[in-house]
């Protein structure tokens, strides 16, 4: 059984279990990124799946919310390295539902064992400087 994660929206996480590129179960959770790890743990427990039972991970790398993408990828990359789980990545440029995405592209492109998955962004980040920042120039 393969774990599927899709966090393109800041307030939603799709979690699923794939059985040979078809969903055994999939759930949409209305949750913010800080709750992802706990929700994944609860999902696996509800479905009586241990991390040792997983044969891999399939994750949507974007585009979408920068924060949601980074957190879901951090979780997936951590499981990939710590549990030696094969990791597969999917871009969802057409904003397909998870079921349509897996049906069209399968579980995704495999990430090499020693590599990690990167987020896919379709626009530059909107990052501002915090108030009160001083220039790094020593003469200022």
């Amino acid at each position: 059984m393969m774990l599927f994660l899709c966090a393109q929206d800041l307030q939603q996480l799709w979690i699923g279990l794939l059985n040979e590129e078809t969903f055994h179960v999939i759930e949409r959770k209305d949750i913010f990124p800080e709750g992802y790890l706990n929700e994944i743990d609860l999902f696996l427990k509800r479905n009586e799946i241990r991390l040792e039972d997983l044969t891999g991970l399939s994750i949507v790398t974007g585009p979408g919310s920068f924060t949601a993408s980074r957190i879901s990828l951090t979780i997936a990359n951590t499981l990939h390295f710590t549990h030696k789980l094969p990791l597969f990545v999917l871009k969802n440029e057409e904003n397909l539902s998870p079921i349509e995405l897996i049906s069209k592209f399968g579980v995704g492109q495999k990430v090499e064992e020693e590599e990690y998955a990167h987020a896919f962004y379709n626009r530059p980040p909107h990052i501002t400087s915090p108030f009160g920042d001083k220039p790094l120039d020593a003469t200022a």
Side-chain angles (χ1 to χ4, degrees), residues 14-72:
W14 287 91
I15 310 171
L17 291 171
L18 291 165
N19 190 0
E20 297 184 24
E21 298 191 11
T22 58
F23 281 104
H24 171 70
V25 63
I26 186 159
E27 296 179 7
R28 185 190 85 189
K29 296 294 177 178
D30 294 327
I31 189 167
F32 286 100
E34 56 269 20
Y36 287 1
L37 193 56
N38 186 55
E39 192 57 48
I40 292 166
D41 182 53
L42 292 172
F43 173 82
L44 291 173
K45 286 177 181 172
R46 275 194 309 275
N47 288 283
E48 300 177 357
I49 300 289
R50 298 173 306 147
L51 286 175
E52 298 79 28
D53 299 331
L54 294 174
T55 58
L57 299 150
S58 176
I59 184 161
V60 176
T61 60
S65 162
F66 287 28
T67 301
S69 295
R70 286 191 305 268
I71 290 176
S72 62

Side-chain angles (χ1 to χ4, degrees), residues 77-111:
N77 282 321
T78 300
L79 292 173
H80 170 60
F81 284 115
T82 60
H83 293 278
K84 306 291 186 227
L85 287 170
L87 179 60
F88 299 84
V89 295
L90 289 159
K91 291 181 186 177
N92 193 3
E93 296 175 90
E94 300 173 41
N95 202 25
L96 301 172
S97 75
I99 294 170
E100 293 171 318
L101 186 64
I102 293 294
S103 296
K104 188 171 182 177
F105 298 107
V107 296
Q109 180 180 2
K110 187 173 184 181
V111 175

Side-chain angles (χ1 to χ4, degrees), residues 132-140:
D133 271 6
K134 305 277 188 278
L136 295 177
D137 184 355
T139 61

